[in-house]
Amino acid sequence: MSITPIVTQISEQLASARCEQDLDNELSTISEADWQLFIDHLSSQIKKLEETEPERVQSLRYLMHSYLEGWQRKKYRELSCR
């Protein structure tokens, strides 16, 4: 199975988020395995861009940081609800 559809779907979901609550809602629908594929893909894209388009790297790192913070909130809520 190609990761491209998963990455595209998650990218579209997260892009639709307008605020932190929207992001949290979108993240709640993503599985752990799909999330890991998405983050791995995003990390590899950032590494590639460091060489070819360094001006885009900062904004992608910020975006990835925002996503990771949202994912941490999701995991925290899951653990605190047990």
Side-chain angles (χ1 to χ4, degrees), residues 36-61:
Q36 193 58 54
L37 285 173
F38 175 72
I39 289 299
D40 290 347
H41 176 77
L42 190 54
S43 296
S44 75
Q45 291 302 105
I46 288 171
K47 286 180 184 174
K48 289 178 189 175
L49 287 174
E50 285 175 337
E51 297 171 12
T52 60
E53 298 179 59
E55 64 279 359
R56 289 188 58 208
V57 171
Q58 187 64 25
S59 61
L60 279 176
R61 282 191 178 140

Side-chain angles (χ1 to χ4, degrees), residues 27 29-38 71 74-75 78:
L27 287 170
T29 66
I30 300 170
S31 74
E32 187 88 31
D34 288 350
W35 176 253
Q36 193 58 54
L37 285 173
F38 175 72
W71 189 257
K74 171 191 173 184
K75 299 307 285 177
E78 288 172 356

Side-chain angles (χ1 to χ4, degrees), residues 13-30 70 73 77:
Q13 275 183 262
L14 299 180
S16 71
R18 301 282 179 238
C19 63
E20 188 176 285
Q21 183 63 44
D22 288 349
L23 177 61
D24 291 352
N25 290 340
E26 293 299 338
L27 287 170
S28 70
T29 66
I30 300 170
R73 284 191 303 274
R77 276 192 305 280

